Amino acid sequence: MRKIVVTSNVTLDGVTQAPGRPDEDARGGFEHGGWALPYDDEVKAEAMGRGMAQTGAMLFGRRTYEDFFSVWPHRTDNPFTGFLNGVQKYVASTTLTGPLPWKNSTLLDGDAADAVAELKHLPGPDLAVIGSGELVRSLARRELVDEYVLLIHPLVLGSGRRLFPDGVPPARLRLVDSVPTGTGVIIATYRPR
């Protein structure tokens, strides 16, 4: 059975909204976009690259898919470009219609958690989720996530969309690895008990 691995940048107060760019996601008046960038270093880049190298397919929610599609097919200055453009991408959305424009993209039909549960049982490579907070919460409620790789930043924002907001069912996880970066980020890998 395929594994689902969630990788997420998160602040100490659990915020995951708009880590990459100031204009990435201003929903709810969020003004702190791009908060993860000052914490980038070689250790963090190596961890992200290692995670991608171990993954054979990506799983996206609509917002993250559209955001990635607006950036990555046009980037030539990043070592992740080739991987992201070439990898199989599955997209959970009730508003998009196929065919999807980004090469190797497949739209999942119906309820996201049901579609992912079915996909998980089909033969194929493990599935990586980057960002896609709504999708992650949906998968967490159904206990479909096999591993969380959390890049925990030494930062408190006080507002923004959180990885696990109120109402997510309790879950017990065990720490299986942790790596500190030179900028104070802890890369913590958790699996369900």
Side-chain angles (χ1 to χ4, degrees):
M1 180 167 29
R2 297 167 126 172
K3 286 189 338 181
I4 295 178
V5 179
V6 169
T7 300
S8 185
N9 287 285
V10 62
T11 65
L12 289 176
D13 55 343
V15 174
T16 59
Q17 186 172 359
R21 296 186 323 276
D23 64 343
E24 185 177 352
D25 182 359
R27 286 179 292 170
F30 188 69
E31 299 177 348
H32 306 293
W35 53 264
L37 294 178
Y39 298 94
D40 285 354
D41 71 359
E42 289 179 15
V43 175
K44 189 175 168 189
E46 181 182 321
M48 293 298 287
R50 188 172 48 251
M52 286 185 184
Q54 295 171 351
T55 302
M58 302 286 298
L59 183 58
F60 290 103
R62 179 196 55 84
R63 287 184 57 84
T64 303
Y65 174 79
E66 289 180 333
D67 184 66
F68 271 52
F69 177 63
S70 74
V71 174
W72 288 102
H74 316 291
R75 287 197 72 176
T76 58
D77 62 341
N78 193 291
F80 299 132
T81 301
F83 171 81
L84 288 169
N85 286 332
V87 72
Q88 175 63 52
K89 294 167 277 293
Y90 296 98
V91 183
S93 172
T94 57
T95 57
L96 292 177
T97 56
L100 297 176
W102 198 2
K103 183 174 121 181
N104 298 324
S105 295
T106 302
L107 183 62
L108 298 175
D109 292 325
D111 177 78
D114 288 343
V116 172
E118 184 177 318
L119 187 61
K120 196 173 171 175
H121 286 89
L122 296 175
D126 290 343
L127 302 161
V129 182
I130 296 177
S132 302
E134 293 295 325
L135 176 61
V136 170
R137 287 183 281 284
S138 174
L139 300 177
R141 280 192 286 278
R142 294 276 298 276
E143 299 179 351
L144 293 171
V145 178
D146 297 289
E147 185 170 282
Y148 293 95
V149 179
L150 303 181
L151 290 80
I152 305 166
H153 292 67
L155 177 66
V156 175
L157 293 177
S159 68
R161 294 178 182 267
R162 296 184 349 216
L163 181 59
F164 299 113
D166 293 347
V168 172
R172 295 181 66 84
L173 305 172
R174 64 184 171 91
L175 180 68
V176 296
D177 189 36
S178 63
V179 176
T181 72
T183 60
V185 173
I186 303 285
I187 304 169
T189 303
Y190 295 97
R191 293 185 185 136
R193 286 186 185 262

